[in-house]
Amino acid sequence: MVQLYTLTSIIMKNTLTALCFRFNRFSSWLSKISAYAAVGIMFFMTSHILIEISLRYFFDRSTYVLDELVGYGIAGMTFLSLGYALETSSLIRVNMILIKIKSKLVRLGFEVLSVVVALYLSIFLIEYFYRSVSRSFSRGTTSETVLAVPLWIPESLVIVGLVVFSISLISHMSKTIFGIGENQNNLEG
């Protein structure tokens, strides 16, 4: 009976680890796609800035929409790149508390707690922006500029970025709990 229980627990652990590994690969792929989208936005923003400079310098003209589109682009780039930044450990972490903790189990608990709090805040923001996008879409709200951009479009980029970030947070938590990859090294100090 004990051998059957041990065999079952080994199979379950291996299955969970395999599922975790697949989910982490999916999360990594999604984060990279989102980061490529952020790079694409940066490319178009830079191109628009260069066109605006050329128009003003050579032709004394303007597109009159540069500041609006750059603002939307920066918001989109920021949120779209969050998942990739977490994936590559590029986010700024304050380890003042974790450094002082000697127990690996307590460190693991603090790490998981911080991810759960970040996930909760991310889901809260997704819900908030979803309501805003739904309202903007149903009312047909546009920006009060020459371009009259439907406001649900730039707000949707924020939602997409937050969803990718939330998936990356879940992936980060699973890596931490199962001891997969770099996250285990971070806990060892």
Side-chain angles (χ1 to χ4, degrees):
M1 187 68 178
V2 173
Q3 291 176 344
L4 180 62
Y5 176 75
T6 307
L7 181 63
T8 306
S9 65
I10 290 171
I11 291 171
M12 285 182 61
K13 183 177 180 187
N14 289 342
T15 304
L16 281 174
T17 304
L19 286 173
C20 179
F21 181 74
R22 286 190 183 114
F23 180 74
N24 291 336
R25 277 193 359 207
F26 169 73
S27 172
S28 180
W29 174 80
L30 197 60
S31 295
K32 286 177 185 171
I33 296 294
S34 185
Y36 287 138
V39 168
I41 291 171
M42 180 183 283
F43 173 77
F44 285 115
M45 272 183 10
T46 305
S47 300
H48 190 196
I49 290 169
L50 292 174
I51 289 169
E52 185 74 23
I53 290 170
S54 300
L55 283 173
R56 288 184 184 195
Y57 185 78
F58 293 114
F59 303 106
D60 201 26
R61 300 272 185 221
S62 177
T63 61
Y64 302 108
V65 294
L66 176 69
D67 53 345
E68 179 182 11
L69 292 179
V70 166
Y72 296 148
I74 288 173
M77 281 178 7
T78 300
F79 284 93
L80 287 172
S81 62
L82 277 176
Y84 186 73
L86 179 66
E87 193 80 27
T88 59
S89 300
S90 299
L91 289 177
I92 296 172
R93 280 178 54 141
V94 180
N95 286 328
M96 293 178 350
I97 297 173
L98 287 178
I99 290 172
K100 304 253 186 229
I101 299 172
K102 302 297 182 208
S103 169
K104 289 181 187 180
L105 189 59
V106 175
R107 276 180 137 184
L108 177 70
F110 271 107
E111 182 76 24
V112 170
L113 179 66
S114 67
V115 171
V116 167
V117 169
L119 187 60
Y120 173 77
L121 292 173
S122 183
I123 290 170
F124 174 79
L125 287 173
I126 290 169
E127 181 182 348
Y128 174 81
F129 277 103
Y130 178 76
R131 288 180 187 170
S132 180
V133 165
S134 298
R135 191 177 322 117
S136 295
F137 185 77
S138 66
R139 294 179 181 172
T141 308
T142 60
S143 62
E144 298 180 13
T145 60
V146 177
L147 198 55
V149 173
L151 291 179
W152 65 268
I153 296 173
E155 289 176 345
S156 295
L157 292 177
V158 173
I159 292 175
V160 169
L162 285 169
V163 167
V164 171
F165 182 60
S166 296
I167 291 170
S168 294
L169 281 169
I170 294 168
S171 172
H172 179 77
M173 186 167 47
S174 70
K175 287 177 190 175
T176 302
I177 291 171
F178 288 106
I180 299 170
E182 295 178 16
N183 295 339
Q184 188 64 20
N185 296 334
N186 292 341
L187 292 175
E188 292 173 1

